[in-house]
Amino acid sequence: IDLGHALAGSAGNPSLSGAGSLIAGSTTSLDLANAAAQAPLALIFGITEIGVPFSGGVLVPSPDLVVTGLVTNAAGGAVFAAPWPAGVPSCVSLTMQAWIQDATGPFGLTASSAVRVTTP
């Protein structure tokens, strides 16, 4: 589910989308598009949605897990794929959002739209 709240930057509104069945062992992927080219980014994962003001935008997920050290490609995109972990209970929701370093954004940052997934 796309929750919106993208914060525009040099390439427009960054968007985050996901694909996968969320079944243990199946490939799950996140696709970031319309971000600044070759820019550092962080993926933020949260069990709850907090929707608080942050760096001129809205931080949607609670920052339960923050993955740093990532970079967009020359086209301003990135794809992250991994097997869905075993043991995640049914009906668990997870919210994700990317924050990207971009000099054209407020405070030098832009944000993707946030997405929410719920395990079957």
Side-chain angles (χ1 to χ4, degrees):
I1 298 171
D2 185 335
L3 302 173
H5 295 290
L7 179 60
S10 59
N13 284 331
S15 66
L16 189 64
S17 60
S21 65
L22 307 183
I23 306 264
S26 68
T27 300
T28 302
S29 64
L30 286 174
D31 184 9
L32 176 65
N34 303 326
Q38 299 178 329
L41 71 103
L43 285 175
I44 301 171
F45 299 86
I47 300 293
T48 59
E49 295 169 24
I50 57 174
V52 297
F54 179 75
S55 292
V58 177
L59 176 62
V60 178
S62 56
D64 298 321
L65 173 65
V66 179
V67 180
T68 61
L70 307 171
V71 179
T72 62
N73 61 28
V79 176
F80 310 99
W84 189 256
V88 179
S90 181
C91 298
V92 169
S93 290
L94 181 64
T95 303
M96 298 154 273
Q97 188 176 34
W99 282 80
I100 306 105
Q101 188 173 328
D102 185 335
T104 66
F107 304 101
L109 294 172
T110 61
S112 73
S113 52
V115 294
R116 180 182 347 131
V117 298
T118 303
T119 57

